Amino acid sequence: MMSCMLSAGGMLQWFRNTLCQAEMAEAKKKGIDAYELILAEAAARPPGSEGLYCLPYLTGERTPYADPYARGCFIGLTPRHDKGMMARAVVEGITYGMRDSLDIMRRLGVTTKQIRLSGGGAKSAFWRQLQADIYGIDACVTNSTAGSAYGAMLTGGVGAGVWKSIPEACDATIKIVSTTKMNKAGAKRYDSLYKPFGSLYKSLYENFREIAAVHGLME
């Protein structure tokens, strides 16, 4: 089984590039990644960002909604919301989107014992904990975060005879280096916060198509 979001890290990148020029300038002065500052702001805000949700469908969506007309949204904005809350809503929305697909797999009988994280999201302790709590399961980081590129290399190694099978290749090269434990209280809280997210796309389904039609974007 496989799922793929079209704008996961891309949604956070858009947020950085569009709304976080001050953080980018400060990060440059300090010689650090701007994402560190953005995620620190997000981590300082409460779970659920006081009712703010973000749909991360900037370029449509692939899984679980095969919908080219879906679009990104902030829903629930009030005068109390600041950039930090918006950043947290973005990260939560991305993670909710990945949980959508995980829940489908679980309903089909797939048992999950742990989640293994890779890519940029695996670098942030805050985001690792957020994922563990939203997924309701421990989140692990391995000695390689290269993801699909690393898998392609292992597959090539099997084809070239370096290892006899994919499992043998994985056992020989991939090791867990850290585990973020799911927090029971956090998982319970996010189970509640996740429920409205699941209905937002469905509520906006026809609106996305109306917008596309009005602007001449329907295929």
Side-chain angles (χ1 to χ4, degrees), residues 126-164:
F126 159 67
W127 203 346
R128 291 196 300 270
Q129 187 65 61
L130 192 72
Q131 291 188 76
D133 293 349
I134 289 178
Y135 304 150
I137 194 169
D138 294 349
C140 303
V141 175
T142 69
N143 56 328
S144 173
T145 60
S148 56
Y150 196 78
M153 181 275 291
L154 295 180
T155 303
V158 173
V162 178
W163 301 285
K164 293 180 180 179

